[in-house]
Amino acid sequence: MSNTTFDWIASLIKAVIIFVVLLQLVPVLIWLERKVVARMQQRIGPNRVGPFGLLQPLADAVKLMAKENIIPTGVDKLVYYLAPVISIVPALAAFAVVPFGEPIHVAGRVVYLQVAHVNIGILYVLALSSLAVYGITLAGWSSNNKYSLLGGLRASAQMISYEIPVGLTVVAVVLLAGSLDLLDIVNQQVKQGIWNIGPQFIGFLLFVVASNAELNRAPFDMAEAESELVAGFHTEYTGFRFAMFFMGEYVNMVTTSALATVMYLGGWHGFGPDVWYLNLIWFILKIFAFIIFYMWVRASWPRIRYDQLMGFGWKVMIPAALLNLAATAVVIVVAKERATLWLTAVNIALFVVFLAVLRLVNSRQLEQHRQVVPQPDAVRG
Amino acid sequence: MNPYLPILFMLIIATAFAVGALSLAMFIGRPKGGNERKLAPYECGIEPVVGEVRERFPVKFYLVAMLFILFDIEVIFLYPWAVVFRQLQVFGLIEMGIFLAILLLGYMYVWRVGALEWQ
């Protein structure tokens, strides 16, 4: 077998495996989300179909498949059909460059544990995951529904706003690694002795918040605010077309979690022996930790107002991300070999200061609130 | 083999899945008739208020999009700089400092004129 044939077969097999795993993760995640959120709200969650309600997503899939295929009057047909496809295809393709293990040797040849080993990996993931905005905007615009249009517009404005902080925090990681290759980023974290969550702690926090907004998840789910926009951009979508949007959303969630794992949590590295299947388990565990964290956030915070959302994005996230980048660059130049140590120290110090300021502001606001709102005693007096 | 080729495989598989699943759904779930109300766009369950749906919407959205383009291009410029930063050292720091300072000026202006407010 020639090298080229081997490469072709290997990458085809990898592509199919990743595709199947990603697609199968969607029902698992839907079940997990419903169960986790239910438990956090003192409910039981799905428990009728199969053991622990595990077959619920399957039943839903069958139901969605068999739904009447209604096309509302006045929709822009081509765009209306295209939107769900546009929202799922880039989501699936974005995962192609995420490495989930050290390259292994099969029959004397190197096989990368990622579908495509390209040297601009991180740029590729960012580019494809930001294509998600097209699906949502086009769906909203083509639906011939006022709620959909508003939902689509809001979502597009929100997603492009939060893309800037995501991009800026990623630049800081690239600064440390000196490479856009995701494999290099993981290896560099091992080499520097501490995962990037240390020297990039603030960046990590910014990335988690901004990517949450980028994913359109609560508390940033303005695009589908049920209380104002019915269902937002997918109001007019039924059956499997509707399901496509959700698959896209969940696949994007997996990709973002994988990206965060690779950039900040040392990828597939963990404790114990360094064998590929253990590494894989570590990788999956870290991804699921992220996903459950996102679910936890969703269960904990109320949806925030749209002007607050945009204000927060442009006035807090972007300056903070820029500052983080500048600080990282300066420390790298000044501290040279000891940059990692200094960055970790500076980040933790900054985080403590941030918490203190937050506490101060909170208590100040509470004080003002007490002064403005008359206390029961004052009313009586 | 070109390292980007597997991405094409992935795209083809994903597109095939999406188109196939949608076609299948279209085949299984053929509409069963009903009156025209069933096909009307949803608006509180009553007949849609007269008027074009895709009419004008707030200019704010255009503004955000334009600001995004400016800042996003800035971010893209940062990537090659970040890759070679360790070689450039102080020179790179000053160079990017000037670039960012100019942009920061614009950012402050945008903030001052109230383009970041949303009412």
Side-chain angles (χ1 to χ4, degrees):
Chain A
M1 194 161 42
S2 74
N3 267 336
T4 329
T5 332
F6 180 82
D7 280 349
W8 271 77
I9 294 172
S11 41
L12 259 177
I13 291 173
K14 281 185 292 186
V16 170
I17 289 176
I18 287 294
F19 167 76
V20 170
V21 168
L22 275 182
L23 222 54
Q24 293 314 308
L25 267 178
V26 173
V28 175
L29 288 181
I30 290 176
W31 175 82
L32 190 68
E33 171 138 39
R34 290 181 65 177
K35 221 48 179 173
V36 166
V37 172
R39 283 298 176 183
M40 285 179 178
Q41 297 168 344
Q42 315 264 320
R43 295 184 287 117
I44 297 172
N47 67 341
R48 293 289 150 151
V49 193
F52 308 106
L54 264 168
L55 297 179
Q56 184 68 50
L58 207 66
D60 287 344
V62 171
K63 179 198 73 179
L64 285 168
M65 200 65 169
K67 281 250 176 191
E68 258 183 87
N69 204 44
I70 290 174
I71 297 144
T73 43
V75 298
D76 190 321
K77 277 221 177 107
L78 179 69
V79 182
Y80 182 78
Y81 278 121
L82 212 58
V85 179
I86 291 180
S87 75
I88 193 166
V89 170
L92 285 168
F95 204 86
V97 298
V98 175
F100 44 90
E102 212 83 54
I104 54 171
H105 295 272
V106 177
R109 295 180 175 94
V110 180
V111 174
Y112 290 102
L113 286 186
Q114 65 199 110
V115 177
H117 178 235
V118 296
N119 52 6
I120 54 150
I122 210 160
L123 212 54
Y124 170 81
V125 176
L126 283 184
L128 278 214
S129 59
S130 59
L131 279 182
V133 71
Y134 279 105
I136 290 176
T137 316
L138 292 180
W141 183 82
S142 68
S143 284
N144 190 33
N145 181 318
K146 285 154 195 159
Y147 294 120
S148 299
L149 180 68
L150 276 176
L153 281 176
R154 276 187 182 184
S156 49
Q158 168 189 340
M159 285 166 92
I160 59 179
S161 298
Y162 278 83
E163 210 170 296
I164 301 165
V166 168
L168 284 171
T169 47
V170 170
V171 175
V173 173
V174 175
L175 262 187
L176 285 177
S179 169
L180 295 170
D181 189 338
L182 289 167
L183 216 56
D184 286 350
I185 290 175
V186 174
N187 290 334
Q188 175 265 337
Q189 290 180 60
V190 177
K191 213 162 57 193
Q192 77 182 7
I194 181 170
W195 294 344
N196 273 342
I197 192 171
Q200 279 297 316
F201 190 63
I202 303 281
F204 172 72
L205 293 180
L206 290 171
F207 180 83
V208 169
V209 173
S211 61
N212 198 354
E214 181 87 351
L215 288 170
N216 265 322
R217 284 183 59 84
F220 303 111
D221 58 343
M222 293 308 303
E224 45 206 85
E226 297 97 333
S227 48
E228 319 167 13
L229 292 176
V230 194
F233 62 93
H234 56 66
T235 305
E236 293 298 339
Y237 279 86
T238 53
F240 216 69
R241 282 190 296 251
F242 163 78
M244 287 265 160
F245 284 118
F246 268 77
M247 285 186 202
E249 205 166 286
Y250 277 93
V251 172
N252 266 331
M253 198 158 104
V254 176
T255 310
T256 309
S257 305
L259 190 63
T261 306
V262 166
M263 287 197 317
Y264 294 104
L265 292 185
W268 55 85
H269 289 284
F271 309 109
D274 205 22
V275 279
W276 68 271
Y277 47 89
L278 269 184
N279 288 343
L280 197 62
I281 292 175
W282 273 113
F283 192 63
I284 293 170
L285 274 181
K286 285 175 189 174
I287 289 182
F288 267 84
F290 262 105
I291 290 172
I292 289 176
F293 175 75
Y294 282 136
M295 292 172 183
W296 185 16
V297 168
R298 176 185 158 181
S300 304
W301 270 285
R303 187 178 293 130
I304 70 173
R305 229 166 57 201
Y306 195 67
D307 59 328
Q308 290 172 338
L309 172 86
M310 297 302 278
F312 181 67
W314 283 96
K315 292 177 182 171
V316 179
M317 293 298 283
I318 291 177
L322 265 175
L323 263 179
N324 173 52
L325 175 66
T328 308
V330 169
V331 173
I332 286 178
V333 167
V334 173
K336 299 238 187 310
E337 276 81 50
R338 306 185 134 226
T340 314
L341 195 70
W342 273 101
L343 272 175
T344 314
V346 167
N347 265 278
I348 290 169
L350 269 179
F351 183 61
V352 172
V353 170
F354 168 72
L355 282 186
V357 169
L358 205 67
R359 217 185 143 80
L360 199 73
V361 170
N362 265 345
S363 61
R364 182 87 45 86
Q365 274 176 351
L366 209 64
E367 200 58 42
Q368 276 173 356
H369 181 72
R370 283 210 188 96
Q371 280 167 4
V372 173
V373 181
Q375 297 300 299
D377 284 344
V379 174
R380 234 178 282 129
Chain B
M1 194 179 72
N2 190 320
Y4 292 88
L5 206 59
I7 292 175
L8 188 68
F9 297 162
M10 202 74 186
L11 278 173
I12 292 171
I13 296 172
T15 316
F17 160 74
V19 173
L22 286 181
S23 315
L24 190 64
M26 223 184 268
F27 177 72
I28 295 176
R30 266 167 296 197
K32 296 195 180 69
N35 56 14
E36 71 226 35
R37 290 285 178 77
K38 183 171 166 184
L39 299 180
Y42 176 78
E43 211 166 280
C44 312
I46 55 165
E47 257 179 81
V49 177
V50 192
E52 196 39 46
V53 168
R54 297 176 200 118
E55 55 181 40
R56 301 195 293 178
F57 50 82
V59 71
K60 274 302 293 193
F61 290 108
Y62 286 113
L63 194 61
V64 169
M66 271 192 247
L67 289 176
F68 162 72
I69 290 173
L70 283 178
F71 279 87
D72 209 41
I73 290 174
E74 170 210 356
V75 173
I76 292 305
F77 275 137
L78 287 171
Y79 277 87
W81 167 77
V83 172
V84 293
F85 181 68
R86 298 232 183 207
Q87 283 109 58
L88 295 175
Q89 290 290 332
V90 180
F91 173 72
L93 196 64
I94 294 171
E95 194 86 332
M96 198 38 80
I98 295 169
F99 177 66
L100 283 188
I102 295 170
L103 225 122
L104 214 60
L105 227 59
Y107 177 71
M108 274 149 66
Y109 171 75
V110 167
W111 193 328
R112 262 304 277 289
V113 297
L116 304 182
E117 306 301 328
W118 195 290
Q119 47 313 88

